[in-house]
Amino acid sequence: MLKAVQILGWSSGLTISQRLTKTRKSSSVSFISSSLNLSSVTSSSPRRIFSFKPTRMSSSLPGSDPVANSPTFVSVQSAGDVRKIKFCQWCGGPTKHEIPDGEEKLRAICTHCGKIAYQNPKMVVGCLIEHEGKVLLCKRNIQPSHGLWTLPAGYLEVGESAAQGAMRETWEEAGATVEVISPFAQLDIPLIGQTYVIFLAKLKNLHFAPGPESLECRLFALDEIPFDSLAFSSIYVTLNLYLEDLKKGKLKFHYGTINKRPGSSPSDIRAFSLDYHLQP
């Protein structure tokens, strides 16, 4: 599977040849935080760099089912509330909430046309931009997490590849044109029905500036990354995986599931576990 992911529709020569028109996205990306098992290690600088100790749940073996009291089970059951779907998206008729024949999950079914509203996850795409030992971060000018730092990222749109969407979001949020190098991480967040795909990228030039959704854009040295002011757990995980790879001397592709720690606050970006962490 990892090899299949690694040959996504991207190439090292993938670039944006013209400046994209800045458009306001129809809705801001909605995220929720979750908890990593991390332990700090000493670095050459005063700032601490974190070392991952990801956990594997008892149901992580291929083909096994989630355990009823495991974080994955809770997340899957919480992903999308079909009872909030009151009307049919096709004909506008009222819906009923039942388990259709041959299925196992509660669905919203139109009482007029009979169509079933299936809920599907959204894909968030973005770039981890490397430049001379620094990474580019944007300070958010929108909610959620206004005023906190993030990688340039947002929802993938119909008609574009994941890499194209990541480059578009980078231009919209950071005014930067980039070249995609390779996929770096896929992080699933079942609780909120989102999948992050983050690409490693490099600047084509040093011209960048905050877009309408950013207050500021900056290149941060690795020991200056503002881990205490990051916007989302997904960004926290991505940057820590990146630093850990650099420590080991080899960048890898990472897959993992971010599960929210039960009872924790959505604003606590460290309150999660990184499960099913796979890497070549």
Side-chain angles (χ1 to χ4, degrees), residues 127-171:
C127 288
L128 197 172
I129 300 163
E130 313 165 294
H131 181 75
E132 297 181 353
K134 298 180 180 181
V135 295
L136 182 66
L137 299 180
C138 302
K139 181 180 285 189
R140 288 175 62 81
N141 191 31
I142 55 175
Q143 295 291 355
S145 301
H146 182 275
L148 299 179
W149 293 93
T150 183
L151 296 172
Y155 287 132
L156 180 67
E157 295 183 2
V158 173
E160 61 186 7
S161 69
Q164 289 171 334
M167 290 188 292
R168 172 185 52 77
E169 287 290 341
T170 298
W171 168 252

Coordinates of all heavy atoms in Angstrom, one line a residue, residues 127-171:
C127 N 1.6 21.8 2.0 CA 3.0 21.6 1.7 C 3.9 21.9 2.9 O 3.6 22.9 3.7 CB 3.4 22.6 0.6 SG 2.9 22.2 -1.1
L128 N 4.9 21.0 3.1 CA 5.9 21.3 4.1 C 7.1 21.8 3.3 O 7.8 21.0 2.6 CB 6.3 20.0 4.9 CG 7.0 20.1 6.2 CD1 7.1 18.8 6.9 CD2 8.4 20.7 6.0
I129 N 7.3 23.1 3.3 CA 8.3 23.8 2.4 C 9.6 23.9 3.1 O 9.8 24.5 4.2 CB 7.8 25.1 2.0 CG1 6.4 24.9 1.3 CG2 8.7 25.8 1.1 CD1 5.6 26.2 1.2
E130 N 10.7 23.3 2.5 CA 12.0 23.4 3.0 C 12.8 24.4 2.3 O 12.7 24.5 1.1 CB 12.7 22.0 2.8 CG 11.9 20.8 3.2 CD 12.4 19.5 2.7 OE1 12.4 19.3 1.4 OE2 12.9 18.7 3.5
H131 N 13.6 25.2 3.0 CA 14.5 26.2 2.4 C 15.7 26.4 3.3 O 15.5 27.1 4.4 CB 13.8 27.5 2.1 CG 14.7 28.5 1.4 ND1 15.0 28.4 0.1 CD2 15.3 29.6 1.9 CE1 15.8 29.4 -0.2 NE2 16.0 30.1 0.9
E132 N 16.8 25.9 3.0 CA 18.1 26.2 3.7 C 17.9 25.9 5.2 O 18.3 26.8 6.0 CB 18.6 27.6 3.4 CG 18.9 27.9 2.0 CD 19.4 29.3 1.7 OE1 19.3 30.1 2.7 OE2 19.9 29.6 0.6
G133 N 17.4 24.7 5.5 CA 17.3 24.4 6.9 C 16.2 25.0 7.6 O 16.1 25.0 8.9
K134 N 15.2 25.6 6.9 CA 14.1 26.3 7.5 C 12.8 25.8 6.9 O 12.8 25.2 5.8 CB 14.2 27.8 7.4 CG 15.4 28.4 8.0 CD 15.4 29.9 7.8 CE 16.7 30.6 8.5 NZ 16.7 32.0 8.3
V135 N 11.7 26.0 7.6 CA 10.4 25.6 7.1 C 9.5 26.8 7.1 O 9.6 27.7 8.0 CB 9.7 24.4 7.9 CG1 10.6 23.2 7.7 CG2 9.6 24.8 9.3
L136 N 8.6 26.9 6.1 CA 7.7 28.0 6.0 C 6.3 27.8 6.7 O 5.7 26.7 6.5 CB 7.4 28.3 4.5 CG 6.5 29.5 4.2 CD1 7.2 30.8 4.6 CD2 6.1 29.5 2.7
L137 N 6.0 28.7 7.6 CA 4.7 28.6 8.4 C 3.9 29.8 8.2 O 4.4 30.9 7.9 CB 5.0 28.3 9.9 CG 5.8 27.1 10.3 CD1 5.9 27.0 11.8 CD2 5.1 25.8 9.8
C138 N 2.6 29.7 8.3 CA 1.7 30.8 8.2 C 0.9 31.0 9.5 O 0.5 30.0 10.1 CB 0.7 30.5 7.0 SG 1.4 30.2 5.4
K139 N 0.7 32.2 9.9 CA -0.1 32.5 11.1 C -1.6 32.7 10.6 O -1.8 33.6 9.8 CB 0.4 33.7 11.8 CG -0.4 34.1 13.0 CD 0.1 35.3 13.8 CE 1.4 34.9 14.5 NZ 1.9 36.1 15.4
R140 N -2.5 32.0 11.1 CA -3.9 32.0 10.6 C -4.6 33.3 10.9 O -4.5 33.8 12.0 CB -4.7 30.8 11.2 CG -4.2 29.5 10.6 CD -4.9 28.3 11.3 NE -6.4 28.3 11.1 CZ -7.0 27.9 10.0 NH1 -6.4 27.4 9.0 NH2 -8.3 27.9 10.0
N141 N -5.4 33.8 9.9 CA -6.2 35.0 10.0 C -7.6 34.6 10.1 O -8.5 35.5 9.9 CB -5.9 35.9 8.9 CG -6.5 37.3 9.1 OD1 -6.6 37.8 10.2 ND2 -6.9 38.0 8.0
I142 N -8.0 33.3 10.2 CA -9.3 32.9 10.2 C -9.5 31.9 11.4 O -8.5 31.3 11.9 CB -9.8 32.2 8.9 CG1 -8.8 31.1 8.6 CG2 -9.9 33.2 7.8 CD1 -9.2 30.3 7.3
Q143 N -10.7 31.6 11.8 CA -11.0 30.6 12.7 C -11.2 29.3 12.0 O -11.6 29.3 10.8 CB -12.3 30.9 13.5 CG -12.2 32.2 14.4 CD -11.2 31.9 15.6 OE1 -10.8 30.8 15.8 NE2 -11.0 33.0 16.3
P144 N -11.0 28.1 12.6 CA -10.5 28.0 14.0 C -9.0 28.3 14.1 O -8.3 28.4 13.1 CB -10.8 26.5 14.3 CG -10.7 25.8 13.0 CD -11.2 26.8 12.0
S145 N -8.6 28.4 15.3 CA -7.1 28.6 15.6 C -6.6 29.9 15.1 O -5.4 30.0 14.6 CB -6.3 27.4 15.2 OG -6.8 26.2 15.8
H146 N -7.4 31.0 15.1 CA -6.9 32.3 14.7 C -5.6 32.7 15.5 O -5.6 32.6 16.7 CB -8.0 33.3 14.9 CG -7.6 34.7 14.4 ND1 -6.9 35.6 15.2 CD2 -7.9 35.4 13.2 CE1 -6.7 36.7 14.5 NE2 -7.3 36.6 13.4
G147 N -4.6 33.2 14.7 CA -3.4 33.7 15.4 C -2.4 32.6 15.7 O -1.3 32.9 16.2
L148 N -2.7 31.3 15.3 CA -1.7 30.3 15.5 C -1.1 29.8 14.2 O -1.6 30.2 13.1 CB -2.4 29.1 16.2 CG -3.0 29.3 17.6 CD1 -3.7 28.1 18.1 CD2 -2.0 29.9 18.6
W149 N 0.0 29.1 14.3 CA 0.9 28.8 13.1 C 0.5 27.5 12.5 O 0.2 26.5 13.2 CB 2.3 28.8 13.5 CG 2.8 30.2 13.9 CD1 2.9 30.7 15.2 CD2 3.3 31.2 13.0 NE1 3.4 32.0 15.1 CE2 3.7 32.3 13.8 CE3 3.5 31.3 11.6 CZ2 4.2 33.5 13.3 CZ3 4.1 32.4 11.1 CH2 4.4 33.5 11.9
T150 N 0.6 27.4 11.2 CA 0.3 26.2 10.5 C 1.1 26.1 9.2 O 1.6 27.1 8.8 CB -1.2 26.1 10.2 OG1 -1.6 24.9 9.5 CG2 -1.6 27.3 9.2
L151 N 1.1 24.9 8.6 CA 1.6 24.8 7.3 C 0.5 25.2 6.3 O -0.7 25.1 6.6 CB 1.9 23.3 7.0 CG 3.1 22.6 7.8 CD1 3.1 21.1 7.5 CD2 4.4 23.3 7.5
P152 N 0.9 25.8 5.2 CA -0.2 26.1 4.2 C -0.9 24.9 3.7 O -0.3 24.0 3.1 CB 0.6 26.8 3.1 CG 2.0 26.3 3.2 CD 2.2 26.1 4.7
A153 N -2.2 24.8 4.0 CA -3.0 23.7 3.6 C -4.5 24.0 3.6 O -4.9 25.0 4.2 CB -2.7 22.6 4.6
G154 N -5.2 23.2 2.9 CA -6.7 23.4 2.8 C -7.4 22.3 2.1 O -6.7 21.4 1.6
Y155 N -8.7 22.4 1.9 CA -9.4 21.4 1.2 C -9.1 21.2 -0.3 O -8.9 22.2 -1.0 CB -10.9 21.7 1.3 CG -11.5 21.5 2.7 CD1 -12.3 22.5 3.2 CD2 -11.3 20.4 3.4 CE1 -12.9 22.3 4.5 CE2 -11.8 20.2 4.7 CZ -12.6 21.2 5.2 OH -13.2 21.0 6.5
L156 N -8.9 20.0 -0.7 CA -8.7 19.7 -2.1 C -10.0 20.0 -2.8 O -11.1 19.7 -2.3 CB -8.4 18.2 -2.2 CG -8.2 17.7 -3.7 CD1 -6.9 18.3 -4.3 CD2 -8.1 16.1 -3.7
E157 N -9.9 20.5 -4.0 CA -11.1 20.9 -4.8 C -11.3 19.9 -6.0 O -10.3 19.3 -6.4 CB -11.0 22.3 -5.3 CG -11.0 23.3 -4.2 CD -10.9 24.8 -4.7 OE1 -10.9 25.0 -6.0 OE2 -10.9 25.7 -3.9
V158 N -12.5 19.8 -6.5 CA -12.8 18.9 -7.6 C -12.0 19.4 -8.8 O -11.9 20.6 -9.1 CB -14.3 18.9 -7.9 CG1 -14.6 18.1 -9.2 CG2 -15.1 18.3 -6.7
G159 N -11.4 18.5 -9.6 CA -10.7 18.9 -10.8 C -9.2 19.1 -10.7 O -8.6 19.4 -11.6
E160 N -8.7 18.9 -9.5 CA -7.3 19.0 -9.3 C -6.7 17.8 -8.5 O -7.4 17.1 -7.8 CB -6.9 20.3 -8.5 CG -7.5 20.4 -7.1 CD -7.3 21.7 -6.4 OE1 -6.8 22.7 -7.0 OE2 -7.6 21.8 -5.2
S161 N -5.4 17.5 -8.8 CA -4.8 16.4 -8.1 C -4.4 16.9 -6.7 O -4.5 18.1 -6.4 CB -3.5 16.0 -8.8 OG -2.5 17.0 -8.8
A162 N -4.0 16.0 -5.8 CA -3.6 16.3 -4.5 C -2.5 17.3 -4.5 O -2.4 18.3 -3.7 CB -3.3 15.1 -3.7
A163 N -1.5 17.0 -5.4 CA -0.3 17.9 -5.4 C -0.7 19.3 -6.0 O -0.2 20.3 -5.5 CB 0.8 17.3 -6.3
Q164 N -1.5 19.3 -6.9 CA -2.0 20.6 -7.5 C -2.7 21.4 -6.4 O -2.5 22.6 -6.3 CB -2.9 20.4 -8.7 CG -2.1 20.0 -9.9 CD -3.1 19.6 -11.0 OE1 -4.2 19.2 -10.8 NE2 -2.6 19.6 -12.3
G165 N -3.6 20.7 -5.6 CA -4.3 21.4 -4.6 C -3.4 22.0 -3.5 O -3.6 23.1 -3.0
A166 N -2.3 21.2 -3.2 CA -1.4 21.6 -2.2 C -0.6 22.9 -2.6 O -0.4 23.8 -1.9 CB -0.4 20.5 -1.9
M167 N -0.3 22.9 -3.9 CA 0.4 24.1 -4.5 C -0.5 25.3 -4.5 O -0.1 26.4 -4.2 CB 1.0 23.8 -5.8 CG 2.1 22.8 -5.8 SD 2.9 22.6 -7.4 CE 1.6 21.7 -8.3
R168 N -1.8 25.1 -4.9 CA -2.7 26.2 -4.9 C -2.9 26.8 -3.5 O -2.9 28.0 -3.3 CB -4.1 25.7 -5.4 CG -5.2 26.7 -5.3 CD -6.5 26.2 -5.7 NE -6.9 24.9 -5.1 CZ -7.3 24.9 -3.8 NH1 -7.4 26.0 -3.1 NH2 -7.6 23.7 -3.3
E169 N -3.1 25.9 -2.5 CA -3.3 26.4 -1.1 C -2.0 27.1 -0.7 O -2.2 28.1 0.1 CB -3.5 25.2 -0.2 CG -4.9 24.6 -0.3 CD -6.0 25.5 0.2 OE1 -5.7 26.4 1.0 OE2 -7.2 25.3 -0.2
T170 N -0.9 26.7 -1.1 CA 0.4 27.4 -0.7 C 0.4 28.8 -1.3 O 0.8 29.7 -0.6 CB 1.6 26.6 -1.1 OG1 1.6 25.3 -0.5 CG2 2.9 27.3 -0.8
W171 N -0.1 28.9 -2.5 CA -0.1 30.2 -3.1 C -1.2 31.1 -2.5 O -0.9 32.3 -2.2 CB -0.4 30.1 -4.6 CG -0.8 31.4 -5.2 CD1 -2.0 31.9 -5.7 CD2 0.1 32.5 -5.4 NE1 -1.9 33.2 -6.1 CE2 -0.6 33.6 -6.0 CE3 1.5 32.7 -5.2 CZ2 -0.1 34.8 -6.3 CZ3 2.0 34.0 -5.5 CH2 1.3 35.0 -6.1

